[in-house]
Amino acid sequence: MGLPNRNRRRRCKAADGKAIAILNGHEQGMIDIARQHEGGLAKAAASALEAGRRLLPAPAPDLSGDPLDFATVLSRDWTFLRRREQAPPPGDWRSWLILGGRGSGKTRAGAEWVHELATRHPNAGELRIALVAETLGDAREVMIDGVSGICRIARAKRPDFEASRRRLVWPTGAMAQIFSSEDPESLRGPQFHFAWCDELAMMKNV
């Protein structure tokens, strides 16, 4: 025998109330989990912020805002991204040779080194740097405009390339002039504080 309609309605209402209570409890549980997850991320980001400040060279960027933005800063900071062998040697040195295969990061290391000199050196406004490649075309297409070239990796204080004078000029006043190994005599006369030679083994007149 079936239940009277009134009893059916009572049981349906009870079942509906139980379902609503379960859903509400589930929703609150998800909110609590999300809050805990958010709090964990914030603490992790804050810890990374403090640790990362010690990795960045002076002057460090302003990281007083949202700690989660620190990942963006690190993704653009070469001192954090580079491998140990891509960092300039410590101490006083005259020659630094990077020997590696295609894609090992030789050009990127050279471009970052030159850009750092031109923007952070104490006497950056007086610096003169020589950029030497196998040909003038290689100097521009690889060392300056290439995927890992100076103008591509420069973030702040991007230099201007003066094609007619074959040189880069930074806002700091630093200057880098390009040369070709096909004309080694062109290096006579000009004086430079630093030089970057790319693909030295390919140069026929070295």
Side-chain angles (χ1 to χ4, degrees):
M1 174 182 282
L3 293 172
N5 291 336
R6 184 166 51 186
N7 292 338
R8 287 183 181 177
R9 286 196 298 269
R10 287 177 179 175
R11 291 203 174 186
C12 288
K13 288 181 179 180
D16 291 342
K18 185 177 181 181
I20 292 173
I22 292 174
L23 289 175
N24 288 339
H26 180 69
E27 180 181 0
Q28 186 60 46
M30 293 298 293
I31 292 174
D32 293 341
I33 291 174
R35 287 177 177 172
Q36 294 175 4
H37 185 62
E38 182 180 357
L41 285 177
K43 290 181 181 179
S47 299
L49 176 63
E50 294 302 323
R53 278 197 177 105
R54 296 191 294 270
L55 298 175
L56 297 176
D62 182 14
L63 300 176
S64 58
D66 188 350
L68 294 178
D69 292 339
F70 186 59
T72 303
V73 176
L74 291 183
S75 69
R76 299 174 181 174
D77 190 86
W78 174 243
T79 59
F80 179 78
L81 297 174
R82 69 189 179 190
R83 303 190 307 276
R84 182 178 301 176
E85 58 269 22
Q86 289 177 300
D92 188 15
W93 51 273
R94 294 179 61 87
S95 299
W96 171 28
L97 174 66
I98 300 180
L99 185 63
R102 183 183 298 273
S104 60
K106 304 183 299 297
T107 302
R108 178 70 185 272
E112 292 282 359
W113 173 67
V114 169
H115 184 64
E116 184 173 0
L117 287 174
T119 56
R120 297 186 177 181
H121 194 277
N123 299 317
E126 303 174 1
L127 283 188
R128 297 298 178 264
I129 304 169
L131 305 178
V132 186
E134 184 182 6
T135 66
L136 291 176
D138 290 337
R140 180 166 184 177
E141 296 299 324
V142 178
M143 302 174 76
I144 296 176
D145 292 331
V147 175
S148 299
I150 295 171
C151 287
R152 293 290 294 273
I153 60 92
R155 292 157 294 277
K157 301 179 181 179
R158 181 187 177 98
D160 293 324
F161 180 57
E162 299 177 356
S164 61
R165 304 188 67 176
R166 300 186 306 182
R167 71 179 189 177
L168 284 170
V169 180
W170 278 263
T172 59
M175 185 271 291
Q177 189 166 356
I178 64 175
F179 294 91
S180 167
S181 67
E182 296 176 330
D183 184 18
E185 296 299 320
S186 63
L187 283 165
R188 292 181 178 272
Q191 298 181 357
F192 300 97
H193 300 93
F194 300 96
W196 171 27
C197 300
D198 190 53
E199 297 292 355
L200 191 64
M202 298 292 293
M203 299 180 183
K204 300 177 181 178
N205 296 317
V206 173

